[in-house]
């Protein structure tokens, strides 16, 4: 802050002694010390507040970055699920080679993402429930089923 050496302090003390006198100098020095302490506390408080605001801003930036990454990951997962559900979604009658006008309308206005996700999850659940024998591993034969010999 201020570069004051011993000689400067001695000179200020001698001038203060001459100007204020020996009775008022200790009281003036005490008052000056109190003011300097208040100023230092105020400055350190401001520094703490500035540092806290900077840290809060850094945390906000990190949260925003993480939110963007999470949104991107969610979008990729939704696209993957939609791609997985597309073969079930394109079940048109085999007899009509060109497709009906209703099919063309469906292609122009795709359903909302949440509807497609719901349909994909429902079809996946139907497939898994349709073949429980393949999904569940076969259990080994128990001792009751085998002859006891």
């Amino acid at each position: 802050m201020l570069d004051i050496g011993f000689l400067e302090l001695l000179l200020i003390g001698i001038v203060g002694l001459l100007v204020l006198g020996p009775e008022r100098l200790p009281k003036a020095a005490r008052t000056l010390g109190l003011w300097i302490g208040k100023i230092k506390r105020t400055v350190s408080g401001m520094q703490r507040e500035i540092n806290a605001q900077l840290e809060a801003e850094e945390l906000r930036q990190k949260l925003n970055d993480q939110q963007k990454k999470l949104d991107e990951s969610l979008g990729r997962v939704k696209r993957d699920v939609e791609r997985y559900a597309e073969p079930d979604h394109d079940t048109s009658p085999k007899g009509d080679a060109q497709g009906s006008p209703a099919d063309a309308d469906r292609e122009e206005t795709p359903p909302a993402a949440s509807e497609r996700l719901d349909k994909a999850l429902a079809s996946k659940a139907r497939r898994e429930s349709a073949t429980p024998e393949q999904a569940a591993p076969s259990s080994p034969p128990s001792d009751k089923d085998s002859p006891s010999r």
Side-chain angles (χ1 to χ4, degrees), residues 73-84 113-114 117:
S73 298
L74 184 62
R76 275 188 300 221
V77 168
K78 281 184 179 180
R79 284 192 300 272
D80 290 346
V81 168
E82 288 170 0
R83 255 189 256 132
Y84 180 73
S114 61
L117 183 60

Side-chain angles (χ1 to χ4, degrees), residues 19-101:
V19 171
L20 296 175
E23 298 90 26
R24 289 186 281 170
L25 183 62
K27 185 178 179 182
R30 204 173 304 123
T31 305
L32 182 65
L34 290 173
W35 278 99
I36 290 174
K38 285 182 181 180
I39 291 171
K40 283 184 178 181
R41 283 191 297 275
T42 303
V43 168
S44 67
M46 286 179 171
Q47 286 177 340
R48 277 191 302 253
E49 287 180 24
I50 290 171
N51 286 337
Q53 290 294 327
L54 289 174
E55 289 176 7
E57 185 61 31
E58 288 176 10
L59 285 174
R60 281 189 210 104
Q61 287 287 1
K62 287 180 182 179
L63 281 173
N64 287 338
D65 291 344
Q66 291 297 325
Q67 184 66 37
K68 287 178 185 176
K69 288 178 183 177
L70 186 63
D71 290 342
E72 289 172 4
S73 298
L74 184 62
R76 275 188 300 221
V77 168
K78 281 184 179 180
R79 284 192 300 272
D80 290 346
V81 168
E82 288 170 0
R83 255 189 256 132
Y84 180 73
E86 277 181 11
D88 292 338
H89 197 19
D90 292 337
T91 56
S92 61
K94 304 283 191 257
D96 191 9
Q98 292 180 354
S100 65

